[in-house]
Amino acid sequence: MSLLNPAGLGFAAIIPLIILLYLLKRRFQEKVISSTYLWEEVLKDMEATTPWQRLKKNLLLFLQLLAAVLLVMALSRPYLPVAGGLEKQLLVVLDASASMMASDVTPSRWGMAQKEVEKLIDRLGPGEKMTLIKMGEQPEVLQAASGDKNELRRALRDAQLETGRADLEAALSLIASLSRDSRDIMLLIVSDGKTLPMEHDPGIKCPVEFIQIGRGSDNLAITTLATRRDSGQVLALARVQNFGEKAVVSDIELRVDGELFDIREIKLEAEGAREIIWEDLPAGAESIQAILQRPDFLPADNEAWAVVEELTENRALLVSQGNLFLEKALNLLPGLELFKTSPAEYDPALADYQLFIFDGWLPAHLPQASIIIVNPPPGNPWLAINGEAKNLSGIKAAGEDSNLRYIDSSDWQVARSQKLLCPDWARTLLESEGVPLLLAGQLTGRVAIFSFDLHESNIPLQTGFPILVHNLVGWLLPGNAGASFDLNRSRISFDPHPEAEAIYLQRPGEKEERYLPPFPRSFSASHPGLYQINQVLGDRIESNFLARNQGDPLESDIKPATLPWQAFEAESRGGGERLGKKELWPWLCWAVLLLLLLEWEVYRRGY
């Protein structure tokens, strides 16, 4: 038994006061009587000189002391821990992200999380209701405010594990709207703690408990697999990361169009990473697959796929006083022929370029093509500048975007940047302390803007810079396939050919699906693997392949963590009972009342 108000024990000072009253002698008045024979004991008390008397056995004293003890206990609010809380409604958030597939616990984190929620359902008390919410890339209410345990178990059993990330902020925002006008609510989050970081606190005021699932970290993952064509050659790059706490050795297998091409042994230190490059792949290769042979707790990210895109020749013009960083990054891109000129020699009549890069300078009229703008000059009519910022670090993505795939900007720094006001035709990709550093949008064509001079940053020296340039140019110069794929949202965004008569979609391991006009603009891509889209164009078929990979540093790093919620201060616990507080003060007050009635009856009868 514990106390909610230990200060209430201070009222125990009343107990010695009650005893003191029984130790004091009563004061007598003088009366004339005929005989003292029957008053002998009384005369002894009258003749005593001390005001105190010996404490005698007294039923009234016992009843008063017992009532005082019970009253003091009631004021200190004792309680007993019990299974199940006293809340009228229980909100349970169940993490359904990819990391919950880990098998470091039996049968898996997802299976254990379902068991923990089922225990909570079994312990629902009379009058209690549960709202069950699945936390994935988008929160989903599985069962709303129900006290029917069979309905809750059925909703829990039918819940499907996802292969994306868990968005805690979105789930809490939903909970804030559900609990705005409710009382006696408790929130329980069942998760391994691997969720997206939170930007804003939803302001939830109800009690919160975190049931942490998982205990291992052993996982080897392929976080990047990319290909490119260069001078008639096909090259492949794989990045393998060890998220475990021990050094590991594994074979990595490379398959080209389903056929084994190579097997290599790789060694990685604890929490280390390594890039593997394959050259001279078959010129006619359409797809590649990399497979890690070492078993670990999360097998889903041991495989990765990549599509070998057809080489499309594009011409790019770099207008700059000299920028070796940009030149080197652009020259690495296959299918892009780079030309250079200075601002003084720029000819606005040039029109046979698909991409223009303006470094520190802008023409009076932008060309009708894709554009990269680096360090835009003040006073230009397209981008408003509101001062400058210095010594920027902690650069992070402003949101999910396919242009930031495989990019880790945590170590990037900018010595000085202009404060651009993001126009309504653009969106912010990278920012630091609210200062936009990279923007993208649609103006005369597709446009990407760096708000700073690359020479005043360490970004060109980072391994992610050429990857960022590759992603941006791929977005600025889309191929003829007309399809784009967003790995972060598990969706295929598709722009069909204007002459397409039918579309056939082949998902990994599933039957082919047929679509007729009007075509959907997006398809679900929840499972990793190769997706094939065939467009029927009269008497010919145009085929496009897209790759969906599971390797994600956030989900592949399976070491359990605390929730990324600053307002959350409750201690995590690895399951067990949900403990409530059964307060005893109402029963104690009733007992005091009964004792007072009993005392009155004892006094009335003269005991």
Side-chain angles (χ1 to χ4, degrees):
M1 184 175 66
S2 302
L3 303 178
L4 289 176
N5 182 32
L9 295 176
F11 288 94
I14 194 175
I15 295 175
L17 292 178
I18 295 174
I19 297 175
L20 182 63
L21 291 176
Y22 279 86
L23 289 174
L24 289 175
K25 283 185 177 181
R26 288 176 296 177
R27 303 182 68 178
F28 299 99
Q29 295 181 357
E30 292 187 1
K31 294 289 184 181
V32 178
I33 58 175
S34 60
S35 172
T36 62
Y37 176 75
L38 298 176
W39 296 83
E40 186 175 347
E41 293 297 324
V42 176
L43 289 174
K44 290 181 180 179
D45 287 339
M46 293 175 60
E47 292 170 356
T49 58
T50 176
W52 306 101
Q53 64 179 342
R54 185 177 62 182
L55 190 63
K56 302 176 181 178
K57 293 181 180 180
N58 192 306
L59 183 57
L60 285 176
L61 173 61
F62 172 76
L63 293 175
Q64 290 170 2
L65 290 178
L66 183 58
V69 170
L70 294 178
L71 184 60
V72 170
M73 291 298 295
L75 292 173
S76 63
R77 297 181 62 189
Y79 70 89
L80 294 173
V82 294
L86 300 177
E87 302 79 20
K88 294 181 180 178
Q89 186 173 171
L90 191 63
L91 302 179
V92 178
V93 176
L94 178 60
D95 188 347
S97 61
S99 61
M100 296 294 285
M101 291 188 288
S103 58
D104 55 327
V105 293
T106 304
S108 66
R109 292 186 180 181
W110 174 250
M112 176 170 280
Q114 286 183 308
K115 290 182 180 179
E116 290 297 330
V117 175
E118 190 168 5
K119 291 179 184 178
L120 296 173
I121 295 173
D122 293 339
R123 297 189 184 107
L124 280 179
E128 283 190 319
K129 293 184 178 180
M130 177 185 290
T131 296
L132 188 57
I133 300 171
K134 186 176 78 169
M135 178 174 60
E137 293 181 345
Q138 295 291 335
E140 178 185 354
V141 178
L142 302 177
Q143 185 65 47
S146 175
D148 189 326
K149 296 184 180 181
N150 291 328
E151 286 185 0
L152 290 167
R153 292 190 188 98
R154 182 165 52 252
L156 177 63
R157 184 175 59 252
D158 295 341
Q160 298 294 317
L161 183 63
E162 299 181 6
T163 57
R165 296 175 171 183
D167 193 334
L168 177 62
E169 184 172 347
L172 293 178
S173 298
L174 173 62
I175 290 169
S177 64
L178 293 175
S179 61
R180 184 175 294 114
D181 300 324
S182 301
R183 296 181 179 179
D184 299 326
I185 285 181
M186 183 172 187
L187 171 61
L188 287 101
I189 302 175
V190 186
S191 169
D192 58 5
K194 311 304 293 187
T195 70
L196 289 169
M198 293 182 58
E199 298 289 338
H200 306 93
D201 184 4
I204 293 177
K205 303 299 183 183
C206 65
V208 181
E209 280 194 20
F210 173 37
I211 301 179
Q212 189 179 76
I213 305 296
R215 56 173 176 266
S217 62
D218 181 19
N219 188 42
L220 197 63
I222 302 174
T223 55
T224 301
L225 183 63
T227 66
R228 69 183 180 93
R229 296 182 183 271
D230 186 13
S231 303
Q233 289 184 326
V234 178
L235 295 86
L237 167 69
R239 179 178 175 83
V240 181
Q241 288 186 248
N242 177 19
F243 295 96
E245 300 175 351
K246 297 180 180 179
V248 297
V249 178
S250 175
D251 288 338
I252 183 168
E253 178 182 300
L254 186 73
R255 292 182 172 271
V256 178
D257 296 331
E259 300 293 330
L260 181 63
F261 178 79
D262 187 27
I263 298 179
R264 297 186 187 180
E265 182 182 82
I266 56 172
K267 299 179 181 179
L268 289 96
E269 298 298 325
E271 300 180 351
R274 179 181 169 185
E275 286 80 26
I276 304 100
I277 298 176
W278 289 272
E279 300 177 342
D280 296 327
L281 273 67
E286 294 183 343
S287 66
I288 63 171
Q289 178 185 11
I291 306 171
L292 290 170
Q293 299 296 331
R294 179 184 178 273
D296 52 35
F297 289 145
L298 189 62
D301 56 16
N302 290 353
E303 295 183 72
W305 292 260
V307 177
V308 183
E309 298 180 357
E310 292 295 329
L311 190 60
T312 302
E313 293 294 337
N314 289 295
R315 291 161 57 90
L317 179 64
L318 172 61
V319 184
S320 172
Q321 295 290 357
N323 194 323
L324 293 177
F325 296 132
L326 271 175
E327 288 183 36
K328 185 175 181 180
L330 292 168
N331 279 321
L332 290 174
L333 300 178
L336 186 68
E337 188 177 4
L338 181 64
F339 297 85
K340 296 178 292 182
T341 189
S342 66
E345 297 176 352
Y346 172 74
D347 184 357
L350 297 172
D352 55 346
Y353 295 97
Q354 289 74 44
L355 175 64
F356 289 83
I357 304 98
F358 298 110
D359 179 24
W361 176 84
L362 284 174
H365 300 283
L366 294 178
Q368 300 292 322
S370 296
I371 302 172
I372 296 178
I373 300 174
V374 180
N375 192 27
N380 71 84
W382 301 284
L383 296 167
I385 300 174
N386 184 24
E388 66 177 33
K390 296 182 178 180
N391 301 322
L392 298 174
S393 59
I395 299 174
K396 61 182 180 179
E400 300 290 347
D401 196 284
S402 57
N403 284 314
L404 302 179
R405 285 179 296 174
Y406 316 129
I407 303 298
D408 180 6
S409 60
S410 58
D411 294 328
W412 292 8
Q413 298 176 353
V414 175
R416 183 176 65 87
S417 173
Q418 301 179 91
K419 290 184 177 180
L420 298 182
L421 299 178
C422 185
D424 55 6
W425 50 266
R427 65 188 186 278
T428 301
L429 301 186
L430 291 175
E431 64 178 1
S432 174
E433 301 174 2
V435 178
L437 298 177
L438 175 61
L439 296 85
Q442 184 86 23
L443 193 55
T444 57
R446 291 186 173 184
V447 182
I449 307 111
F450 289 89
S451 64
F452 55 93
D453 187 346
L454 292 173
H455 296 90
E456 295 187 343
S457 74
N458 70 342
I459 295 178
L461 304 177
Q462 305 297 314
T463 56
F465 178 66
I467 300 176
L468 176 61
V469 173
H470 179 275
N471 291 344
L472 288 173
V473 173
W475 173 74
L476 293 164
L477 300 174
N480 297 326
S484 60
F485 187 58
D486 188 347
L487 292 174
N488 295 318
R489 290 297 179 189
S490 301
R491 302 289 299 180
I492 298 175
S493 301
F494 184 72
D495 294 322
H497 194 285
E499 300 178 3
E501 300 174 0
I503 292 177
Y504 292 87
L505 173 63
Q506 179 67 61
R507 289 187 172 92
E510 298 183 12
K511 293 182 179 180
E512 190 176 57
E513 301 174 18
R514 183 190 181 198
Y515 297 90
L516 297 174
F519 301 116
R521 291 306 179 97
S522 66
F523 302 99
S524 171
S526 57
H527 297 289
L530 284 177
Y531 290 75
Q532 183 176 359
I533 299 177
N534 296 323
Q535 299 183 84
V536 179
L537 308 175
D539 57 352
R540 68 185 180 90
I541 295 178
E542 182 177 289
S543 297
N544 308 116
F545 290 92
L546 300 170
R548 164 78 161 94
N549 292 324
Q550 188 61 61
D552 180 343
L554 176 65
E555 297 300 318
S556 295
D557 184 5
I558 63 172
K559 185 178 181 179
T562 57
L563 294 175
W565 183 9
Q566 292 182 355
F568 176 72
E569 298 178 355
E571 295 183 359
S572 64
R573 58 186 178 90
E577 293 186 350
R578 177 173 66 96
L579 298 180
K581 297 178 176 65
K582 182 70 172 180
E583 291 200 49
L584 304 179
W585 69 264
W587 303 100
L588 294 173
C589 289
W590 281 110
V592 170
L593 181 60
L594 291 175
L595 284 173
L596 292 177
L597 292 174
L598 180 60
E599 180 191 4
W600 175 80
E601 181 64 19
V602 169
Y603 177 78
R604 187 179 68 85
R605 296 196 177 192
Y607 291 155

